[in-house]
Amino acid sequence: MSEVKVITGTSAAAEAAKLADVDVIAAYPITPQTTCVEKLADFVANGELDAEYIKVESEHSAMSASIAASATGARTFTATSSQGLALMHEVLFAAAGMRVPVVMMNANRALSAPINIWNDQQDSLSQRDTGWIQLYAEDNQEVLDLVIQAFKIAEDEKVLLPVMVNLDGFILTHTVEPVTLPKRETVLDFIGTYEPKHAYLDPKKPMTQGALGDPNYYMETRYAIETAMRNAEKVIADVHDAFAEKFNRAYGNGLIESYNLEKAENVIIAMGSICGTIKDMIDLKKKEGVEIGLLKIRCYRPLPVEMIKDALKNAKNVAILDKSISLGMNKGAIYADVASHLKDKKTVNYIVGLGGRDITSEDILGIYADVETSEDGKTNWVGLKEE
């Protein structure tokens, strides 16, 4: 029987890793992720989880240890945030290139300088080309559910790629919500046993991993990762559907989630916890007879372009919210990726919430009002202080 606990997002991620019965955890602290690996340390120390807990000296080492552990055939989990994720950058490519299905929780946090520990999504969006699948949670229940699903997605033979589950720093990592925890046996029955055929340690069957890829082979390895990313779209949807049937919780089609899009001409595209506030505003305006909508992106890599285009077929004006900025382009990463596929719509980019700047309900309603009259292709910085 499932159990309901009132817990933080970091605890939800730790509980999910425990439910997945991970073999190895590589841990290095960084705010606001630290409480996740602290919780896992408690589980191991208390005998609730039989796993190797590796304390390392940096995030670069945490990812290196995770890659090595996964390359032996172990189910592996780690967690990080912001500067820590940036320090991992080099080895994030190695994890994807070696096709090791590491699962990592990332607490989204702004990058320095200036020093800032609050939320935006610049850290993970800056890693979008490393070959990691990127999933984004709206609330703490979705954090737990995504981490569980992440293992099944990553270990699927048609994918075999690392997965990053992202949650907004402090907004989810340090606030408590009721979270339903399924039984461990049920989760393990859902995920299944990880039995790698491509990367494992067996002295009787030695293999080379992380070998040199000269110009005769390197391009093929990148194409193979891209192919795996395309395969992942169906796998993510299938895993989501199987999860929904087994645990009775669903999130759109697993890659995107539509909210009141049928009649809405003015639509917001967003990711993460801000989607909860946007849904509240949609419900508020609906009572007044005004139809506005939300397209929530749960899966940013691979980006489900055709699904997004189909979901927005009735929209006229699309506001794309970015908690990141591509400096020198004056656009956010999501806008840069999505707008070019929506040529028949007006698209406007809204830069919001950088460094933890509050995004109010009035801001959301203002964006819905602004997108109807704003110039196509324009970028608006929301909440920017005037000199």
Side-chain angles (χ1 to χ4, degrees), residues 123-136:
D123 55 354
S124 56
L125 292 174
S126 296
Q127 307 300 332
R128 59 188 178 276
D129 296 329
T130 57
W132 281 63
I133 291 170
Q134 289 197 16
L135 307 174
Y136 287 78

Side-chain angles (χ1 to χ4, degrees), residues 330-348:
N330 195 28
K331 300 291 182 190
I334 303 173
Y335 184 90
D337 281 351
V338 173
S340 63
H341 299 285
L342 302 175
K343 293 296 186 184
D344 60 333
K345 321 286 182 191
K346 181 205 288 184
T347 58
V348 183

